[in-house]
Amino acid sequence: MATRTDPQTPAQHAADSHDLIRVHGARENNLKDVSIEIPKRRLTVFTGVSGSGKSSLVFDTIAAESQRLINETYSAFVQGFMPNLSRPEVDVLDGLTTAITVDQQRMGADPRSTVGTATDANAMLRILFSRLGKPYVGPPGAFAFNVPSVSASGAITVERGAKKAEKVTFNKVGGMCPRCEGRGAVSDLDLTQLYDDGKSINEGAFTIPGYTGGGWNSRLYAESGFFDPDKPIRAFTKKELHDLLHREPTRMKIAGINMTYEGLIPRIQKSMLSKDREAMQPHIRAFVERAVTFATCPDCDGTRLAEHARSSKIEGISIADACRMEIRDLAGWVRTLDEPSVAPLLTALQQSLDSFVEIGLGYLSLDRPAGTLSGGEAQRVKMIRHLGSSLTDVTYVFDEPTAGLHPHDIQRMNGLLLRLRDKGNTVLVVEHKPEVIEIADHVVDLGPGAGTAGGTVCFEGTVEKLRDSDTVTGRHLDDRASLKDEVRGPTGVLEIRGASANNLRDVDVDVPLGVLTVITGVAGSGKSSLVHRSVPGELGVVSVDQSPIRGSRRSNPATYTGLLEPIRKAFAKANGVKPALFSANSEGACPTCNGAGVIYTDLAMMAGVASTCEDCEGKRFDASVLDYRLGGRDISEVLAMPVSEALEFFAGGEARTPAAHKVLERLADVGLGYLTLGQPLTTLSGGERQRLKLATHMAEKGGVYVLDEPTTGLHLADVEQLLGLLDRLVDSGKSVIVIEHHQAVMAHADWIIDLGPGAGHDGGRIVFEGTPADLVAARSTLTGEHLAAYVGA
C-alpha cells in the first residue's frame, strides 16, 4: 500500500531574495558616504531636520538613478528629447525598481492648463460630448479650448490623366474662444497709471518707475522724432499715440547712439511684466499691481470655449457647465447617464472622477487653473493617475504628501499610501508629520543637523525603536505644544466685508491686528481665498507664499536677498579694485565656463554631459580674482560658507560688514543657517523658498505679514524656532496672519478663524472665531476636535 508523504517546503526562489534596495557610499550634495538598506514592498519614511539630506538621498540618488537607467533603454534619438541626467555620486545602487516621483512642484502656470487637462478627465469629457452632445458640432477637438478653429482655401494640382488645378477648402473646428485665445481672461494695462495725458513728455508725463526725470528711458521717447515732446499726450494724433504705445522695435539713432525704439506697452511687458513679482523691488511691484488689470473674457464668460462648443448639450448640460461643477457633483451627474454606445467611456470617466473624491479633492472643478493649486493639491492631482494603475513592484517616491492637509485629511492620505504599498509597491516618503511616521514599516532618520552638520544616517528601524532612540526626531516625536496661558490683545481690526471670491459666501469677519492670527479649516474650505483675495492691499501687506522663485542656476541666496552687493563692495574696498570683479555673472567670471562653474557638452543625438570646469574647479571665478582676499578668505570661499559661519565672519574684525550682517541675521532668524550663500535657488525645497522670501521681506516696512503654511518642510524641532520668529515679528509691532494646519501653530496663536465646515460648496463660511482655548473648549468644529486631542484636553 502506497503511503502519501507531504511535499517538502521548497527552498526560497532565488528571485525572491532581492527584497532590499541597497545604497552604498552616497555622496550627493551633503550626504557623507551614506550606506543603507531599504526594504522593498514596504512603506519607508525618511525624516530629519530641514537640510539634513533626505531629498538628496531619496530624490537625487535613488529616484534619479532609477530614472537615468530607464532613460538609457530608449534609443539615442529619443534620449535627445529627454532631460540630461548624470549618474548620482554613489558607489553602489542595487535592487532598484522603476521609480515614480510624485513631488510638490506646482503645476505649470500656463493659463490653459487646468485640473481637467492635467488628468485624463477633460479628454474623456470631450469624447463624451462629441458623441452624445446635441446639436452635433464636431469631433472631440471642437470642445478643446487649446485648439483654435482654422479654415483655409487654395488650389492643389492633381493628376487624373492630365494635370489640372482643383480648388480645395480646409476646415478644422476647435473649441478655443477667439477673443481670449482659451485663457478665460483678458489682461490690460491701465494707461492712466503709465502717464499723465495732460502733460508733455518733456514736462514729465511718465509715471512709470525708471521713466521719470531725464534718464535714458524718457530720452528715448523725447528724442525719437515720432512726436513733439513738448505737446501734451492728450493732443497726440492717432498715429502719434500708436507710435508712443505700440510701435514695433525699430533700430534708429537717438542722441547720436544706435538704439532700438519700441512702443511703451511692449517695452514694459518685456522689462517688468515678464519677471517674477517676488524678485522685483518693492516700488516696481507696487506699480505692476496698480497698472495691470485682469478681467473675465466677455465673449466666453471665462469658460475659454467658443460659442459652438457651449451650445452642444447633454440633458441640458454643456461641457462648460460640466467643467464648472465641483468634481463630486460632476461624478453624480455622470452616474445618471445611461448610454450603452459609450458605456466603457462612462465607466473610465466615473473611475477618474471618483479618484478625485477619494483623495479629498472632490471640491475642485475641472476648469480650475492648474497654476492656482497649492503644492499639496498639485501632488494629490498627480497621485490620481497612479491610484488606478495596474503597475506593481514600482517604487513610489513622495515629497511630504500631507503638505496643505488638515489633520482630518491626513488619515485619508495615510490610507492611500498603505493601499499603494499593499498592491506590492515600495513606498518611500519624505515626511515630518508624526501621524505619517506612525504608519511606517521602516523609518530612516537623517541628521544630526542641517547642511554640513547633516548627511549621515542617525537611525533606521521601526517607529517604536525610533521613540527610544536619542535622535532629534526620536526626542521630538511625542512633542505637543500647549495652549498659551495668556493671549495678546488686538491693537485694531482689519474689516473684511462681503468676501465672495471662489467658494466664500459673503463672509464678514474682523481679523485682529497686532496679534498672531491663524486661519485654518479643511483643505478647500476657502482659507486662501479669504486671505489672498480679500485682504485689502493698501495696508502694506507683505504676502509670503510658496510659489517658485524664478531664477537660473546662477541665482543663489546671496543674489536673491541682495546680500552679494555689500559683500562685493567690502571686497572691492579692501583690495582697491571695482566691485564688478567679484560677480561671477560679470567681469569676475571664469572665461572658460562664463561663470557657470560647469561646462555643458552637447553630444547631439546622445544625452549632453555637464562637467565641472577644469580651469576654475567649479569656483566660477577667474583665477586672478581669487588672489583678492577679505579677512583671509577669497570670494569663492565666502560663497561656500553656510549662513551661520558667514554671520560670524562679517560680524567683526577686518571683514566687518554691517549691511551684510543684517541680511545674514534675517536668514538665520528664519532657520536657514545651514544654507550656503552660493547654493543655486533651483535646489531649494518649497519650505526653504518661502523662508528665503520671508527673510527678504522682513526688511520691508509692511505692517501686516501673511504667511501661507510656513511649517511646510519643517521638522518638529524647527517648528519651535518658527514660533519664536512669529512671536518676535508680533512683538515688534507687526500683525501676522498665518494660513496653517499645524496644531503647534494653532495652539500658539492669539486668535483662530476656522473656515468650513467642509470643502468647496460645503465650505466658505466662518465656523469659529476666538482664542485657541475657546476652540478646544467648544469642540464644535473638526479643527476643534483635532486640536483638543493634540493638546490632550
Side-chain angles (χ1 to χ4, degrees):
M1 186 177 144
T3 57
R4 183 168 171 267
T5 56
D6 286 333
Q8 291 283 309
T9 307
Q12 186 187 27
H13 196 288
D16 296 331
S17 62
H18 299 282
D19 54 359
L20 292 172
I21 296 173
R22 294 182 184 83
V23 182
H24 190 79
R27 295 177 300 280
E28 197 67 31
N29 298 331
N30 66 334
L31 297 178
K32 296 172 181 168
D33 255 351
V34 167
S35 296
I36 188 174
E37 292 186 342
I38 301 162
K40 283 188 187 174
R41 294 174 284 283
R42 296 291 181 272
L43 175 62
T44 301
V45 170
F46 293 80
T47 186
V49 296
S50 301
S52 59
K54 306 179 295 297
S55 295
S56 299
L57 177 59
V58 180
F59 289 92
D60 301 343
T61 304
I62 297 170
E65 178 63 354
S66 170
Q67 188 63 60
R68 189 184 73 85
L69 293 172
I70 290 167
N71 286 3
E72 283 188 353
T73 63
Y74 297 111
S75 68
F77 176 75
V78 174
Q79 285 183 49
F81 298 100
M82 290 180 158
N84 305 328
L85 301 169
S86 54
R87 189 180 187 279
E89 282 281 312
V90 61
D91 295 335
V92 179
L93 262 176
D94 188 32
L96 288 178
T97 67
T98 304
I100 293 174
T101 303
V102 188
D103 59 20
Q104 278 189 51
Q105 290 298 323
R106 297 281 179 109
M107 292 187 170
D110 186 310
R112 293 200 199 97
S113 177
T114 64
V115 169
T117 59
T119 56
D120 294 333
N122 220 292
M124 290 190 273
L125 264 183
R126 292 200 297 266
I127 299 170
L128 185 68
F129 273 85
S130 74
R131 300 278 174 83
L132 303 183
K134 298 280 189 297
Y136 175 79
V137 295
F143 296 92
F145 53 76
N146 291 330
V147 180
S149 292
V150 183
S151 62
S153 60
I156 59 168
T157 305
V158 290
E159 282 189 42
R160 290 200 187 111
K163 286 186 181 178
K164 68 172 189 172
E166 276 189 16
K167 193 171 183 188
V168 292
T169 57
F170 166 78
N171 284 304
K172 180 182 175 185
V173 182
M176 179 187 285
C177 166
R179 171 84 175 264
C180 63
E181 296 184 336
R183 288 184 171 86
V186 284
S187 62
D188 211 355
L189 273 168
D190 182 355
L191 297 182
T192 61
Q193 299 294 336
L194 305 187
Y195 54 77
D196 177 351
D197 67 355
K199 292 180 179 177
S200 69
I201 292 173
N202 281 345
E203 287 171 340
F206 295 138
T207 52
I208 309 158
Y211 285 69
T212 51
W216 270 112
N217 281 331
S218 58
R219 283 185 69 185
L220 178 71
Y221 293 94
E223 301 180 27
S224 65
F226 291 123
F227 29 72
D228 180 358
D230 292 313
K231 183 161 82 170
I233 292 177
R234 67 167 61 137
F236 278 19
T237 64
K238 211 170 187 179
K239 183 180 183 311
E240 286 173 334
L241 197 60
H242 178 271
D243 285 341
L244 173 67
L245 296 178
H246 302 289
R247 192 179 179 95
E248 275 125 33
T250 310
R251 291 292 290 168
M252 58 193 301
K253 254 195 170 65
I254 294 176
I257 299 168
N258 284 327
M259 295 183 76
T260 300
Y261 176 91
E262 189 174 18
L264 203 54
I265 288 174
R267 200 151 184 261
I268 290 170
Q269 282 172 332
K270 282 177 194 166
S271 64
M272 294 183 189
L273 305 189
S274 62
K275 289 188 178 158
D276 179 14
R277 275 169 58 182
E278 284 298 329
M280 290 176 182
Q281 293 167 290
H283 69 290
I284 293 179
R285 194 182 322 137
F287 163 73
V288 169
E289 284 166 359
R290 268 196 332 266
V292 183
T293 56
F294 291 94
T296 303
C297 173
D299 286 10
C300 67
D301 191 27
T303 61
R304 306 180 172 88
L305 289 161
E307 172 61 34
H308 65 264
R310 303 196 305 275
S311 68
S312 181
K313 298 186 176 181
I314 301 173
E315 294 182 3
I317 300 285
S318 70
I319 191 167
D321 300 330
C323 289
R324 275 187 166 170
M325 285 184 195
E326 286 194 3
I327 289 172
R328 53 190 166 192
D329 298 336
L330 179 59
W333 177 71
V334 171
R335 264 193 195 89
T336 65
L337 301 178
D338 182 21
E339 183 58 52
S341 64
V342 288
L345 176 66
L346 286 171
T347 305
L349 179 58
Q350 189 67 62
Q351 286 171 347
S352 179
L353 297 174
D354 286 345
S355 296
F356 275 99
V357 178
E358 189 181 352
I359 209 166
L361 293 177
Y363 60 87
L364 294 179
S365 59
L366 293 182
D367 68 354
R368 169 88 173 259
T372 65
L373 298 179
S374 69
E377 286 172 331
Q379 189 176 29
R380 283 181 285 153
V381 166
K382 291 174 195 171
M383 271 183 85
I384 284 169
R385 62 187 67 155
H386 304 303
L387 282 177
S389 170
S390 312
L391 291 172
T392 60
D393 243 331
V394 170
T395 300
Y396 285 99
V397 185
F398 290 95
D399 183 11
E400 285 194 66
T402 59
L405 286 187
H406 188 271
H408 173 69
D409 300 314
I410 290 177
Q411 303 310 120
R412 188 185 259 159
M413 176 57 74
N414 282 350
L416 293 169
L417 294 173
L418 292 171
R419 251 181 64 192
L420 283 173
R421 177 202 66 183
D422 294 345
K423 277 174 65 177
N425 298 307
T426 307
V427 182
L428 309 181
V429 185
V430 173
E431 188 54 87
H432 299 290
K433 295 265 174 75
E435 299 96 319
V436 180
I437 297 173
E438 296 275 351
I439 65 163
D441 302 307
H442 189 72
V443 181
V444 177
D445 190 15
L446 283 106
T452 51
T456 59
V457 174
C458 302
F459 169 86
E460 49 179 321
T462 61
V463 180
E464 288 70 32
K465 287 181 180 164
L466 175 66
R467 277 203 169 83
D468 301 333
S469 71
D470 196 34
T471 66
V472 177
T473 307
R475 289 197 299 273
H476 287 274
L477 195 58
D478 293 316
D479 274 7
R480 295 292 180 266
S482 54
L483 297 171
K484 292 198 290 197
D485 295 329
E486 277 185 49
V487 294
R488 304 177 187 90
T491 56
V493 294
L494 164 63
E495 292 185 0
I496 295 176
R497 295 289 178 266
S500 55
N502 296 332
N503 66 331
L504 294 178
R505 306 194 175 186
D506 269 343
V507 169
D508 294 339
V509 65
D510 290 337
V511 181
L513 297 174
V515 298
L516 173 58
T517 304
V518 169
I519 314 277
T520 188
V522 296
S525 58
K527 304 180 295 297
S528 297
S529 302
L530 179 68
V531 176
H532 294 306
R533 302 284 292 278
S534 309
V535 172
E538 64 272 7
L539 280 167
V541 175
V542 175
S543 181
V544 188
D545 60 16
Q546 292 184 30
S547 59
I549 296 169
R550 284 190 209 158
S552 66
R553 62 185 312 283
R554 288 172 180 267
S555 307
N556 53 49
T559 58
Y560 184 77
T561 57
L563 170 66
L564 201 56
E565 196 63 31
I567 291 177
R568 284 203 302 252
K569 285 179 179 169
F571 265 95
K573 190 176 177 186
N575 294 283
V577 291
K578 54 184 179 180
L581 277 177
F582 302 100
S583 168
N585 299 329
S586 183
E587 292 181 31
C590 162
T592 311
C593 63
N594 290 327
V598 291
I599 291 175
Y600 296 98
T601 310
D602 184 10
L603 300 177
M605 298 289 269
M606 293 168 63
V609 175
S611 52
T612 304
C613 173
E614 290 178 6
D615 287 7
C616 67
E617 295 175 344
K619 292 179 179 176
R620 303 176 60 198
F621 290 91
D622 191 319
S624 62
V625 175
L626 302 182
D627 293 338
Y628 299 117
R629 294 183 170 262
L630 176 70
R633 303 286 189 101
D634 65 43
I635 184 71
S636 72
E637 288 170 333
V638 168
L639 289 175
M641 286 181 182
V643 167
S644 51
E645 188 185 331
L647 197 57
E648 289 177 35
F649 180 73
F650 288 108
E654 188 203 335
R656 185 173 179 275
T657 313
H661 192 259
K662 204 174 281 183
V663 178
L664 288 162
E665 274 184 325
R666 293 201 298 269
L667 285 169
D669 254 358
V670 298
L672 294 178
Y674 59 89
L675 279 191
T676 56
L677 306 187
Q679 181 174 337
L681 291 186
T682 49
T683 63
L684 300 188
S685 68
E688 286 169 334
R689 282 195 291 261
Q690 188 181 24
R691 280 175 284 146
L692 184 62
K693 287 182 193 174
L694 178 57
T696 311
H697 287 309
M698 277 167 68
E700 292 179 18
K701 297 286 185 282
V704 181
Y705 280 78
V706 175
L707 307 184
D708 195 347
E709 293 187 52
T711 59
T712 301
L714 281 189
H715 186 265
L716 298 160
D718 298 324
V719 173
E720 291 174 27
Q721 185 179 3
L722 176 76
L723 293 176
L725 170 68
L726 298 180
D727 277 342
R728 285 199 298 281
L729 280 172
V730 174
D731 294 339
S732 69
K734 311 282 188 196
S735 303
V736 180
I737 301 170
V738 184
I739 299 171
E740 189 54 86
H741 298 112
H742 201 293
Q743 287 115 314
V745 181
M746 289 187 216
H748 198 74
D750 299 306
W751 193 258
I752 286 185
I753 296 171
D754 192 9
L755 278 98
H761 57 54
D762 291 339
R765 291 188 287 264
I766 304 286
V767 290
F768 175 86
E769 45 184 323
T771 64
D774 293 341
L775 179 62
V776 167
R779 297 189 195 204
S780 56
T781 68
L782 280 171
T783 308
E785 288 172 24
H786 283 280
L787 187 58
Y790 175 81
V791 298

